[in-house]
Amino acid sequence: MEKIRHDLRLSETISPFGVGAIVDVRGASLMAPDTSWWDKKLAQEISCERLMARLGSGVLRQPPTHAGRAGKDTPALPYWRFPAWRFCERCDKVSKLTGKKKGKWDNTCECGGLLVPMRYIAICEKGSHVQDINWFKWVHRGREASLNEAVRFCRDYKSLRFNKLANRGEGLASLMVTCHGCGNSRTLAELVTKEALQRDGIRCAGRQPWEPEGSVKKTCPHQLVAVQRGATGNYIAERISALDIPEERPQSAEAADKIRGHVYFERIVADNGGPQAEMLAGWVAEELGVTSETVLAVAGGEQTTAGEMLLDLKDGEWAAFLKKLDGGRDRAGSDFVVDGRSLEGIAGPLGLLSKISGIGQVRRVREVRALRGFRRHDAEAAVINVDLGPDQWRWPTYPAIELFGEGIFLRFGEEELAAWEAQSEVQARAGILKKRRADSAWAGRLDLPEPRYIALHTLAHLLIRRLAFASGYASASLQERIYANSDRTDKTAGILIFTAAGDAQGTLGGLVRLGEPDKLIPLLVSALDDADFCSNDPVCIESDRQGASQLNLSACHGCSLVSETSCETGNRLLDRQLVLGGSDVRGLLDDVLTEVRRPG
């Protein structure tokens, strides 16, 4: 274990180079251990009550890293050398011995050549464990070992060589590990066959590389699979983020309090659904401006409490945005500043203006991102916690960063949206993705793809692609947050496009400027116009099987996809037809372009 001081952006310590990920530093392949190895005095604590309410007990800490010139006392993260097995690029010798030079770990061979990490490692199929392949053990297994005792009992540990045979092409069959002691050799093509490591007697150690052998309480029953060291599936981060927004109670919770405080409420409860309760509920509903069904639901105990309503982080954020939209110019000096704007007097297509009920210019917002754990190889594999130390259950430490930024918030009218998604063709189109999500074990972690979510999610992607040309930010710097749920008592229908930077106390204002209604409406029209024709049409617009696990319909890289770091669902649950319409379905905004292109 060594503290490595190098240029690593703070945001990279959460993803893609968080706890358990392999990172290349100055030719060395390293892995960051769990947070129990951190020097907590150098890890600044970050406060975000909303995020900790979701995570439970523990503490958020900023990783002790830096960007720029490093001195002796500069905060640094510890790293574990992985894989330990390397080969010399000059003499081809394979070993895992590492010496020190001037008090630091050395990455050079005895011959002076640079040591290069071996290309393959072993990952547990379902347990998310990872380990080195014991190359000496592997070379002396297989068919030759069963036929030749000299191979089976070879102990010449210093005679392994890794070389490439020019006469065997460019595939894995040309890469060979040879023992010069017994003369046996095997190609990497034998390594990647099904159950190859299992047949060679190489079992999962049931731990991470930095964990001691004594930490394993029970053996891991899952098989190992050999994968390339740099494969993207080797590390699947489980992140969670929250906007630092003052919690607001949803309107339904406030309405429920007024109903419970009404003078007739106890009589409604006592009648327990009888004719008197229905009559009194009608009087209460008329007085408070709610429906009689809502009054009866509260009296019957069906109404959820405020605490239950706020279990999802987005519920409180939605309520806070609604309050800001009604407040006009925001003169608060907090970390959440939003100017509410109306569309009165704004020129534009009626088909678009009638769908949008409010615009918010988010002048300042604070986001906190945390790493909760990670998986390996398979999205259904076990989750490994970021803290594996003695405090992992009582008071774990989560790596987290805080970012400050700006954005644009769009609220869509509930009445127009509900009428559109009630159409049978729209429900059938969304039902395709609902079924595929239900059939996949891991896809259940994604949002429910109801029509409003798919349409608003796709529109957010189209807007991000257009804003990348006008805002001064690259599309990878922009992020989305979709509020689209019709199952809640407080139905949500909105989009937040924002940017946040981890190395600056704010941003440049280019995104907020475009949030002016007279600038944003033309941008939305341009975004729809861009998506009307895809370079992959007609294949794209007629497709219903695109993307990872076929969780996209009419959406591809030519029209709708953005950087995966910008998307909540990793470029999944998208469909242009539910925005612009298709042969069998009417889109949410399918009449906008027709109105714009109409002559005169």
Side-chain angles (χ1 to χ4, degrees):
M1 184 72 68
E2 181 183 8
K3 287 187 176 181
I4 304 294
R5 291 177 172 84
H6 62 94
D7 290 342
L8 185 67
R9 286 168 45 207
L10 192 58
S11 59
E12 292 179 322
T13 60
I14 304 298
S15 179
F17 303 133
V19 171
I22 296 176
V23 55
D24 291 325
V25 179
R26 302 192 195 100
S29 180
L30 307 170
M31 181 178 288
D34 67 89
T35 56
S36 65
W37 293 79
W38 287 8
D39 185 348
K40 301 301 193 298
K41 292 181 292 185
L42 302 176
Q44 174 186 344
E45 185 173 343
I46 294 177
S47 174
C48 185
E49 293 181 3
R50 301 186 65 240
L51 190 54
M52 284 312 305
R54 170 67 78 79
L55 290 171
S57 62
V59 62
L60 302 172
R61 290 190 180 275
Q62 180 174 295
T65 186
H66 76 284
R69 296 181 62 86
K72 184 177 180 181
D73 299 326
T74 303
L77 281 170
Y79 283 92
W80 189 272
R81 189 179 297 279
F82 182 84
W85 285 87
R86 293 163 295 163
F87 71 95
C88 176
E89 63 177 6
R90 181 181 297 179
C91 68
D92 298 331
K93 183 178 180 181
V94 179
S95 69
K96 66 173 184 177
L97 299 177
T98 300
K100 280 193 172 184
K101 184 182 293 184
K102 296 182 180 178
K104 292 187 176 181
W105 296 106
D106 190 23
N107 202 43
T108 56
C109 180
E110 297 171 351
C111 69
L114 183 66
L115 293 174
V116 180
M118 291 296 286
R119 301 187 182 189
Y120 279 81
I121 57 176
I123 287 185
C124 180
E125 287 186 326
K126 294 296 181 182
S128 294
H129 305 122
V130 64
Q131 65 191 59
D132 257 305
I133 295 174
N134 189 322
W135 293 99
F136 184 86
K137 183 177 181 179
W138 179 76
V139 168
H140 296 90
R141 297 292 171 92
R143 183 174 180 275
E144 288 297 324
S146 63
L147 301 176
N148 191 334
E149 287 192 1
V151 174
R152 190 160 60 247
F153 297 108
C154 178
R155 294 295 180 267
D156 198 347
Y157 297 104
K158 297 183 179 181
S159 297
L160 283 188
R161 297 292 185 271
F162 177 67
N163 43 51
K164 182 180 184 300
L165 302 180
N167 60 350
R168 293 197 181 185
E170 297 295 330
L172 291 179
S174 66
L175 301 176
M176 180 173 290
V177 181
T178 305
C179 175
H180 286 200
C182 63
N184 193 42
S185 61
R186 297 182 74 180
T187 66
L188 295 191
E190 299 179 51
L191 184 67
V192 296
T193 58
K194 188 176 181 180
E195 299 182 352
L197 296 177
Q198 185 80 4
R199 288 194 304 269
D200 292 334
I202 299 176
R203 304 286 187 265
C204 179
R207 58 188 176 88
Q208 304 301 323
W210 64 84
E211 292 185 279
E213 294 184 13
S215 64
V216 180
K217 300 295 187 293
K218 59 180 180 179
T219 58
C220 178
H222 304 295
Q223 293 187 17
L224 291 173
V225 58
V227 297
Q228 292 192 51
R229 180 178 61 90
T232 55
N234 294 348
Y235 185 76
I236 305 171
E238 291 282 324
R239 295 171 297 171
I240 184 171
S241 67
L243 299 180
D244 190 11
I245 293 176
E247 287 283 9
E248 297 291 343
R249 300 193 71 205
Q251 295 175 356
S252 62
E254 295 182 354
D257 287 345
K258 292 180 181 179
I259 292 170
R260 293 187 185 97
H262 198 277
V263 65
Y264 291 148
F265 182 72
E266 291 185 3
R267 293 173 62 182
I268 296 174
V269 174
D271 195 48
N272 194 22
Q276 184 183 19
E278 292 184 5
M279 180 183 66
L280 293 174
W283 295 350
V284 174
E286 184 177 356
E287 182 177 336
L288 298 180
V290 297
T291 64
S292 57
E293 290 79 7
T294 301
V295 177
L296 292 173
V298 174
E302 297 177 12
Q303 183 75 17
T304 54
T305 65
E308 294 170 35
M309 292 290 293
L310 297 177
L311 285 178
D312 190 341
L313 288 170
K314 290 183 180 180
D315 286 349
E317 295 172 9
W318 175 254
F321 272 117
L322 295 190
K323 184 176 181 179
K324 291 286 187 179
L325 289 185
D326 296 336
R329 178 76 175 181
D330 190 354
R331 303 189 183 279
S334 65
D335 285 333
F336 182 57
V337 180
V338 182
D339 291 343
R341 305 299 300 270
S342 70
L343 293 173
E344 293 183 9
I346 302 299
L350 185 62
L352 179 60
L353 296 177
S354 63
K355 303 289 194 310
I356 299 175
S357 62
I359 295 176
Q361 290 179 279
V362 185
R363 298 194 175 275
R364 182 172 172 86
V365 65
R366 175 178 177 259
E367 181 193 12
V368 177
R369 298 178 194 168
L371 180 64
R372 181 169 51 182
F374 60 89
R375 306 171 193 264
R376 299 195 192 277
H377 185 62
D378 193 334
E380 299 177 30
V383 178
I384 304 297
N385 297 330
V386 290
D387 191 340
L388 298 176
D391 294 332
Q392 60 177 303
W393 307 116
R394 185 182 63 86
W395 197 252
T397 297
Y398 297 97
I401 56 173
E402 58 181 352
L403 308 100
F404 296 89
E406 55 175 323
I408 301 171
F409 179 77
L410 282 169
R411 183 190 182 189
F412 290 79
E414 179 60 36
E415 186 175 342
E416 292 267 354
L417 198 58
W420 166 75
E421 67 180 354
Q423 301 174 51
S424 59
E425 297 85 358
V426 172
Q427 289 289 337
R429 182 76 177 173
I432 299 173
L433 292 182
K434 285 184 179 179
K435 184 178 185 306
R436 291 176 189 165
R437 175 182 177 269
D439 292 341
S440 173
W442 66 266
R445 297 194 292 270
L446 303 178
D447 290 83
L448 181 67
E450 53 183 317
R452 67 172 63 198
Y453 183 88
I454 300 172
L456 297 185
H457 185 205
T458 307
L459 181 61
H461 278 227
L462 303 181
L463 185 56
I464 286 175
R465 291 167 69 100
R466 173 46 55 178
L467 286 171
F469 292 101
S471 67
Y473 294 108
S475 62
S477 300
L478 302 174
Q479 296 179 69
E480 66 177 11
R481 205 161 178 88
I482 311 299
Y483 305 89
N485 196 315
S486 63
D487 293 333
R488 299 283 194 183
T489 305
D490 296 278
K491 295 179 172 62
T492 60
I495 295 171
L496 172 65
I497 307 295
F498 68 102
T499 184
D503 54 355
Q505 298 295 308
T507 41
L508 301 176
L511 203 55
V512 167
R513 179 180 62 85
L514 296 177
E516 295 280 352
D518 57 346
K519 294 184 175 67
L520 184 58
I521 297 302
L523 277 171
L524 282 167
V525 174
S526 298
L528 295 174
D529 189 51
D530 292 341
D532 192 30
F533 298 100
C534 173
S535 58
N536 292 322
D537 280 343
V539 175
C540 176
I541 195 65
E542 295 177 358
S543 175
D544 62 0
R545 294 180 177 275
Q546 297 194 87
S549 301
Q550 299 180 349
L551 286 171
N552 286 334
L553 301 179
S554 299
C556 69
H557 282 285
C559 58
S560 307
L561 271 61
V562 296
S563 168
E564 288 199 2
T565 57
S566 301
C567 178
E568 284 187 327
T569 59
N571 275 330
R572 301 179 182 93
L573 309 183
L574 300 166
D575 181 27
R576 278 192 298 150
Q577 287 199 32
L578 286 179
V579 177
L580 299 168
S583 57
D584 300 323
V585 64
R586 186 183 175 198
L588 177 64
L589 302 173
D590 67 345
D591 54 346
V592 174
L593 293 180
T594 304
E595 183 180 348
V596 170
R597 294 167 181 169
R598 187 179 299 142

